[in-house]
Amino acid sequence: MALSDLNPVERNEEGIAAVLGILKQQFGERFQTGEAIRGQHAHTTTYIPTQAPDGVTFVESTAEVQEVVRACAAHRVPVIAFGVGSSLEGHTNAPGGGISIDTSRMNRILSVNPQDLDCTVEPGVTREDLNRHLRDTGLFFPIDPGANASLGGMAATRASGTNAVRYGTMRENVLSLTAVMADGEAVTTGKRAKKSSAGYDLTRLLVGSEGTLGIITALTLRLQGIPQAISGGVCPFPSLEAACNTVIATIQMGIPVARIELVNALQMRAMKNYSKLDYPESPCLFVEFHGSDAGVAEQAETFGMIAEENDGGPFLWTSVAEERTKLWKARHDAYWSSLTLRPGAKGLSTDVCVPISRLAECVTETETDIAEMGLIAPIVGHAGDGNFHVLVLMDVENPDEIALAEKFVARLNMRAIAMEGTCTGEHGIGQGKVGFLRHELGHGVDVMRTIKQALDPLNIMNPGKILPAAG
């Protein structure tokens, strides 16, 4: 994507110069302006060009986030929150320069309430850190986007993942949060109660706002009990349609599947070679069940019968933890395994989500596009909720390949929207999908703009993201 195509944000050189001096005096060595560290805090995970901030502040408390935001508000300078930088749509870029607020040092687990099944954490805590801390309590946090993302970033992008079909997304698992708003004031959106009818749902407004309304500084999260037993395995199919029909039947029968992941034949080839799996190079479903010993065995057997009715199988499942870990490690390494299909290339990772009744049609048409355009682009999907990802492998120095990849992504996004789906199931809008939001939501974009202007009248909170340029 050329910089000229991105939502433009005017630089305020005078204000930026003033803020650089203020923050250096306030934060000393915890404020950095070196080129390398600024580049690391911009977008680096896909082909979207890097737009570095002018400085990076390593904050350690809500009060310090407030200091940075107040200084930037006083001089009309952009502020961009940064967790670990694993987002995929240019969320951490600074198109108008400004200050990156690195929350990685805000990594304390503030409280765990086992009886209430919740905890409160700072935004820099990663999901793996939290689950290691929770292990001895018998609880875990189920949202698993693959990357070891920060929980603040996961809330800001409304992350999802392999467990979403059973446990939901960040939307369902954030009970409340604290955020610093554009005026520097800190707002807490709720208490620890499991439900509330008190006023506007500010929690849901900020979850998924991608740092454009406020910067998250604490989260209260819903926890789950670690299942007594887990079973899982891999089931091959003769076609994507057969695999998707099995997903639909499994969901409709009410089988409480925890994970049901779709992998196309090309992705399976990459995973076999990279992770040394011994499965056919055909479309496959990776499936996992949580519950009691008897329950997971029954669920696995029922799923196997459904698969067989759709010409799939054999379904090879296990309750041995080490064997399951190998399978899901291979699934989480899908990005790295895909890169082996075209050594030296980089990947454009994109995602859409459709009603599961349209999943087979959408995936099949997408594979046709890939073949007709001559692309190398494996597919994986969170099939249980109709969400799938495509990784387009390309030479990011070749303008023709970039243009072809963008054409493919545009067709994919519009196909999903036409099927009453969304242009992004979990990656978010950021910069990469700004051009598709109005196609999906129409006048809803204008309502979003009104909210943005009311809460951030100076447009300093991660400007250039989500909302297309006015006009």
Side-chain angles (χ1 to χ4, degrees), residues 22 61-62 112 120 128 197 206 380 391 398 441 463:
I22 292 169
S61 67
T62 297
V112 176
T120 301
E128 290 182 4
S197 296
L206 290 168
V380 298
L391 186 71
N398 185 327
L441 297 178

Side-chain angles (χ1 to χ4, degrees), residues 48 75 89 142 305 396 405 413 420 429 436:
I48 296 176
H75 295 277
E89 295 292 349
M305 288 188 288
V396 296
N413 290 341
E420 299 184 88
I429 295 294
F436 302 96

Side-chain angles (χ1 to χ4, degrees), residues 219-455:
L219 310 94
T220 297
L221 304 170
R222 190 187 304 271
L223 303 177
Q224 301 288 336
I226 296 174
Q228 174 193 343
I230 300 174
S231 71
V234 177
C235 187
F237 290 86
S239 67
L240 281 170
E241 184 176 9
C244 291
N245 287 338
T246 299
V247 172
I248 294 169
T250 300
I251 300 298
Q252 289 178 339
M253 285 187 64
I255 298 173
V257 62
R259 298 176 177 180
I260 186 163
E261 296 287 297
L262 175 68
V263 176
N264 79 340
L266 181 61
Q267 181 66 72
M268 201 66 202
R269 181 197 307 169
M271 292 169 70
K272 282 186 64 176
N273 293 337
Y274 185 84
S275 300
K276 311 305 179 188
L277 298 181
D278 186 21
Y279 294 100
E281 287 184 13
S282 66
C284 289
L285 292 176
F286 284 48
V287 189
E288 187 169 275
F289 305 98
H290 296 177
S292 66
D293 290 320
V296 298
E298 180 181 359
Q299 292 156 21
E301 290 168 5
T302 304
F303 172 82
M305 288 188 288
I306 295 172
E308 187 176 357
E309 291 172 1
N310 286 282
D311 299 320
F315 177 42
L316 304 174
W317 65 277
T318 179
S319 57
V320 177
E322 292 78 10
E323 295 176 14
R324 288 187 295 97
T325 298
K326 181 180 179 181
L327 293 179
W328 291 106
K329 178 69 163 59
R331 169 60 185 88
H332 287 323
D333 285 344
Y335 175 85
W336 304 109
S337 67
S338 297
L339 296 181
T340 66
L341 296 170
R342 186 181 174 185
K346 290 191 175 180
L348 183 165
S349 181
T350 191
D351 84 311
V352 296
C353 187
V354 295
I356 62 169
S357 62
R358 306 296 299 273
L359 180 61
E361 181 184 3
C362 193
V363 173
T364 300
E365 291 184 13
T366 300
E367 279 203 322
T368 299
D369 273 357
I370 291 169
E372 291 179 351
M373 293 183 180
L375 298 170
I376 301 174
I379 295 174
V380 298
H382 310 314
D385 46 22
N387 184 200
F388 68 94
H389 306 256
V390 185
L391 186 71
V392 182
L393 299 173
M394 63 181 183
D395 177 359
V396 296
E397 304 299 326
N398 185 327
D400 292 337
E401 289 199 22
I402 291 176
L404 186 62
E406 290 185 333
K407 179 181 177 181
F408 166 78
V409 170
R411 285 174 62 92
L412 175 60
N413 290 341
M414 295 305 291
R415 176 180 298 119
I417 292 169
M419 292 181 175
E420 299 184 88
T422 174
C423 66
T424 175
E426 58 186 23
H427 290 182
I429 295 294
Q431 292 175 305
K433 299 208 173 188
V434 163
F436 302 96
L437 193 61
R438 188 172 290 280
H439 290 288
E440 183 172 327
L441 297 178
H443 180 58
V445 172
D446 302 311
V447 176
M448 291 183 186
R449 195 186 307 281
T450 299
I451 294 170
K452 169 73 169 172
Q453 290 172 343
L455 297 181

Side-chain angles (χ1 to χ4, degrees), residues 50-185:
T50 294
Q51 297 170 304
D54 294 282
V56 179
T57 309
F58 292 87
V59 293
E60 297 179 354
S61 67
T62 297
E64 289 189 346
V65 175
Q66 291 179 280
E67 289 180 36
V68 178
V69 171
R70 284 170 177 155
C72 289
H75 295 277
R76 300 181 75 116
V77 170
V79 288
I80 304 98
F82 186 93
V84 298
S86 59
S87 58
L88 294 165
E89 295 292 349
H91 297 93
T92 59
N93 262 347
I99 305 302
S100 174
I101 297 181
D102 186 310
T103 61
S104 60
R105 299 188 186 186
M106 294 182 68
N107 58 3
R108 295 179 299 164
I109 296 171
L110 302 175
S111 66
V112 176
N113 306 290
Q115 291 179 314
D116 296 320
L117 292 116
D118 68 47
C119 68
T120 301
V121 302
E122 291 184 324
V125 176
T126 69
R127 64 173 186 87
E128 290 182 4
D129 289 339
L130 177 58
N131 279 326
R132 275 192 292 269
H133 183 86
L134 293 172
R135 191 172 295 148
D136 292 340
T137 68
L139 304 175
F140 79 115
F141 182 67
I143 308 305
D144 177 6
N148 186 26
S150 68
L151 291 162
M154 287 170 62
T157 56
R158 202 185 296 123
S160 182
T162 59
N163 281 322
V165 65
R166 174 162 180 154
Y167 298 106
T169 72
M170 288 299 285
R171 179 183 64 190
E172 290 80 33
N173 287 280
V174 178
L175 294 172
S176 68
L177 53 80
T178 298
V180 174
M181 309 304 284
D183 60 359
E185 292 297 316

